[in-house]
Amino acid sequence: MFGKYTKVVYGAAAVAGVGGLVLIARSGASEPAPLPFPKINSVHSLVAKHVTKDKWDKLSHVKTKTSGFTLSQAIACAAQFDNQHVGIYAGDLDSYKDFAAVFDPIIQEYHGISADAKHTSDMDVSKIKGTIDPNAPVHSTRIRVGRSFNGFGLSPGITKQQRLDLEKLLKSALESMEGDLKGSYYPLLGMEEKIRQQLVDDHFLFVSGDRNLIAAGMERDWPEGRGIFHNKEKSFLVWVNEEDQTRIISMQKGGDVREVFSRLARGIEAVRVSVNTASGKDFMLHEKYGYIHSCPTNLGTGMRASVHVDLPGWTKEGGDKLQARCEELALQPRGTRGESGGQTGITYDISNKHRLGYSEVQLVQTMIDGVNTLYKEDLLLQKKHGL
């Protein structure tokens, strides 16, 4: 019927065609054969479940526009290691669109959201009710988020030039901070030993060597284009070009969550406005997935609101029981040495469990209420165990 034309496309894109049709000429060039299906060593990972042969065959040759990222690069951790739960990273915003057939079901399963979910952000500190009980033995409070800017790749896919251009933009923005946010930016490349040691002593310095980040491509050209900013009081920090383009952190001694959250909100907006004024670029914000991060587990708020608190009663009761109780309260307990550092003593890092599907205010409120509940229960457990 159509002679040398082989494909018919319906819809709005067909306006320029004949009678509502677009006739696409046969080019003669055939699609390249799919790349060999990869061996995925993390056999129980979400990648192993959702990267099917059919999806791979359709997507294996796709390269994203922003940074030329591929599905093979995205799933490198799940392919290389046998201990991944999720096992996938995005190389840029395009990754979430171009590889949506893989990312969407993984994100929905991990975060427990529906396919038509929408994300809402809310950084209004006035909506937070109450605070952590002043009698609770809280050592410190820390809230962090990740933020990424449009037009640059994410850490696994960002090009060397994009990373350098982004660092230059962020350095200028951070050095324009005012008031209690005012501070200094310290590039990792060429850092003086005295400064390096001080940042190590303050537990501020991020270092190379994480095998997941290496496999995912996040430590290419290390340490060029990376750095740390902190204010004079060391209560406001920004990591530049680590796992995310930025990790923005507010922290201080004690349990005044409201003050920490308020400073964080002001700092995030100050960084955004400064970068936007200089370059016209804004945060990557997705209607469904909120603020965009390289790791899909951080999508949404990208927020981790945590306290270090002593729980001697729960320690005596047992780590498994504390884990189960925190699950009920939508919290996540860790040792104070971080995600994989294990637990020592009676001090725990307690944080919100969720990232996506809840606003920042909701997650901070969940952490406050949950820590207060754990503290009340800990007093009873101390009596039960004769502490």
Side-chain angles (χ1 to χ4, degrees):
M1 177 181 174
F2 297 119
K4 66 177 181 177
Y5 295 95
T6 59
K7 192 171 182 180
V8 182
V9 181
Y10 294 85
V15 173
V18 180
L21 302 177
V22 170
L23 306 178
I24 301 175
R26 181 184 298 153
S27 66
S30 59
E31 288 287 321
L35 295 173
F37 189 69
K39 182 177 188 297
I40 298 170
N41 280 307
S42 288
V43 293
H44 300 296
S45 65
L46 294 180
V47 162
K49 180 177 180 180
H50 293 290
V51 178
T52 61
K53 177 76 164 58
D54 181 52
K55 290 179 185 178
W56 176 263
D57 288 350
K58 291 174 182 174
L59 299 172
S60 64
H61 281 288
V62 173
K63 288 191 174 185
T64 62
K65 182 179 178 181
T66 302
S67 59
F69 203 67
T70 65
L71 184 57
S72 178
Q73 289 172 285
I75 64 170
C77 285
Q80 191 168 332
F81 306 124
D82 62 5
N83 64 343
Q84 304 290 299
H85 171 54
V86 180
I88 192 167
Y89 288 96
D92 43 31
L93 177 58
D94 308 341
S95 298
Y96 287 109
K97 300 172 183 175
D98 294 350
F99 309 126
V102 172
F103 273 106
D104 284 354
I106 287 176
I107 292 163
Q108 288 157 23
E109 181 168 344
Y110 179 85
H111 290 281
I113 63 167
S114 64
D116 59 354
K118 299 270 198 315
H119 181 76
T120 303
S121 177
D122 188 353
M123 295 290 291
D124 186 352
V125 67
S126 70
K127 294 180 182 177
I128 292 174
K129 299 179 178 70
T131 189
I132 291 177
D133 188 328
N135 295 313
V138 173
H139 297 269
S140 61
T141 303
R142 179 182 187 269
I143 308 178
R144 64 86 164 154
V145 300
R147 290 291 184 267
S148 308
F149 286 93
N150 284 309
F152 301 96
L154 301 171
S155 190
I158 193 169
T159 67
K160 182 176 181 178
Q161 192 58 51
Q162 286 173 353
R163 191 188 300 110
L164 293 173
D165 291 345
L166 179 60
E167 184 199 25
K168 183 179 179 182
L169 199 55
L170 287 166
K171 180 177 184 290
S172 177
L174 293 166
E175 288 179 341
S176 71
M177 297 285 112
E178 298 177 344
D180 64 329
L181 301 177
K182 186 177 177 63
S184 301
Y185 179 75
Y186 305 97
L188 263 58
L189 186 65
M191 182 179 285
E192 295 177 23
E193 177 57 28
K194 181 181 176 183
I195 292 173
R196 192 198 70 81
Q197 191 56 53
Q198 185 61 57
L199 290 169
V200 168
D201 293 344
D202 290 332
H203 303 288
F204 290 172
L205 191 68
F206 60 88
V207 296
S208 63
D210 184 296
R211 70 176 199 154
N212 283 349
L213 301 192
I214 292 169
M218 297 194 223
E219 295 199 358
R220 292 167 296 125
D221 311 308
W222 185 276
E224 194 174 29
R226 298 160 171 94
I228 297 168
F229 170 89
H230 68 73
N231 66 347
K232 186 178 178 183
E233 292 77 19
K234 299 180 180 179
S235 59
F236 178 69
L237 289 79
V238 181
W239 288 359
V240 173
N241 286 326
E242 192 234 9
E243 182 176 328
D244 285 304
Q245 288 182 10
T246 65
R247 282 283 173 94
I248 306 174
I249 306 161
S250 178
M251 56 195 249
Q252 66 189 46
K253 298 292 184 187
D256 192 342
V257 180
R258 187 183 292 267
E259 184 175 328
V260 173
F261 185 57
S262 176
R263 184 191 307 113
L264 179 74
R266 287 188 292 111
I268 292 170
E269 183 62 7
V271 172
R272 188 194 71 78
V273 168
S274 184
V275 169
N276 185 253
T277 301
S279 68
K281 298 186 184 301
D282 211 331
F283 291 144
M284 291 184 197
L285 184 58
H286 190 283
E287 182 184 41
K288 184 185 290 188
Y289 296 145
Y291 290 103
I292 295 298
H293 297 70
S294 63
C295 183
T297 66
N298 280 322
L299 290 170
T301 61
M303 171 176 280
R304 187 169 184 275
S306 65
V307 295
H308 283 186
V309 59
D310 291 344
L311 297 172
W314 275 110
T315 303
K316 195 75 174 176
E317 189 75 359
D320 291 347
K321 290 184 178 178
L322 174 60
Q323 181 79 42
R325 183 64 178 125
C326 284
E327 188 75 25
E328 294 170 352
L329 296 169
L331 299 175
Q332 184 177 42
R334 293 180 180 177
T336 52
R337 292 177 179 172
E339 193 167 4
S340 55
Q343 174 58 26
T344 58
I346 61 170
T347 307
Y348 292 83
D349 179 305
I350 305 291
S351 68
N352 57 291
K353 179 186 176 187
H354 298 113
R355 304 277 186 272
L356 179 61
Y358 303 83
S359 74
E360 291 85 354
V361 165
Q362 287 176 306
L363 294 180
V364 169
Q365 192 69 56
T366 294
M367 190 271 281
I368 291 172
D369 296 344
V371 169
N372 281 334
T373 298
L374 289 175
Y375 170 58
K376 288 177 186 174
E377 293 170 349
D378 195 76
L379 294 177
L380 296 174
L381 289 169
Q382 287 181 48
K383 289 181 181 177
K384 171 184 171 181
H385 292 290
L387 298 177

